[in-house]
């Protein structure tokens, strides 16, 4: 995922008008550079989805807890949301669709990262609901 993020930053997207100044390390207006950007972004989001669904759930408690909200459900839901947003990115349903789908996908992964890192705390009601811990 880190290598793909590096490639996303290196390769620019194609501007609508090649007479515009491109502010990136590779300042050329070539279609194949934009293709590399989008391919790298697609792989990046697929890896984030994989991490959320399959890596973050490793070693978690497998017994079913009461309620719909627990950490494994959050990881799987957000991973699927990342995947769906990544699939919608190539289609321009409306103005700024790419930006909105990328933002949702990145925010979903950020949320799973915060849950996994217990940034919201693991004591009290949050610990009982999300992590199944008795405090």
């Amino acid at each position: 995922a880190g290598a793909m993020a590096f490639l996303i930053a290196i390769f620019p997207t194609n501007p609508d008008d090649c007479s515009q100044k491109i502010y990136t390390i590779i300042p050329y207006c070539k279609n194949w550079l934009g293709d590399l950007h989008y391919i790298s972004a697609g792989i990046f989001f697929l890896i984030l989805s994989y991490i959320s669904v399959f890596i973050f759930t490793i070693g978690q408690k497998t017994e079913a807890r009461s309620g719909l909200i627990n950490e494994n459900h959050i990881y799987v839901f957000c991973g699927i949301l990342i995947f769906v947003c990544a699939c919608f990115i190539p289609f321009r349903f409306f103005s700024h669709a790419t930006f909105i789908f990328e933002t949702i996908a990145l925010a979903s992964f950020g949320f799973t990262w915060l849950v996994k890192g217990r940034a919201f705390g693991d004591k009290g009601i949050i610990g009982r609901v999300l992590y199944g811990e008795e405090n």
Side-chain angles (χ1 to χ4, degrees):
M4 292 300 113
F6 180 75
L7 292 176
I8 292 167
I10 293 291
F11 297 115
T13 58
N14 294 328
D16 295 331
D17 180 15
C18 283
S19 65
Q20 297 174 356
K21 175 79 172 144
I22 300 173
Y23 296 98
T24 183
I25 293 174
I26 303 173
Y28 300 110
C29 185
K30 303 287 184 191
N31 285 339
W32 64 272
L33 289 173
D35 293 343
L36 282 174
H37 175 86
Y38 286 112
I39 290 168
S40 300
I43 294 170
F44 174 72
F45 285 120
L46 291 176
I47 292 171
L48 292 185
S49 176
Y50 178 84
I51 289 170
S52 293
V53 173
F54 297 107
I55 303 299
F56 283 174
T57 57
I58 291 175
Q60 303 301 320
K61 295 179 181 177
T62 56
E63 70 270 2
R65 291 192 296 270
S66 63
L68 189 59
I69 299 174
N70 67 48
E71 61 182 322
N72 281 345
H73 292 150
I74 291 171
Y75 301 146
V76 172
F77 175 78
C78 289
I80 292 170
L81 183 61
I82 293 166
F83 180 78
V84 168
C85 286
C87 290
F88 284 158
I89 287 172
F91 305 106
R92 300 215 159 90
F93 295 117
F94 49 88
S95 177
H96 306 296
T98 301
F99 174 74
I100 290 169
F101 289 131
E102 286 179 351
T103 302
I104 292 169
L106 287 173
S108 297
F109 184 75
F111 183 69
T112 61
W113 188 273
L114 292 174
V115 170
K116 184 66 175 176
R118 297 182 178 215
F120 301 114
D122 57 358
K123 304 286 187 223
I125 192 165
I126 293 176
R128 284 192 302 275
V129 172
L130 284 181
Y131 305 111
E133 295 183 356
E134 301 300 323
N135 301 342

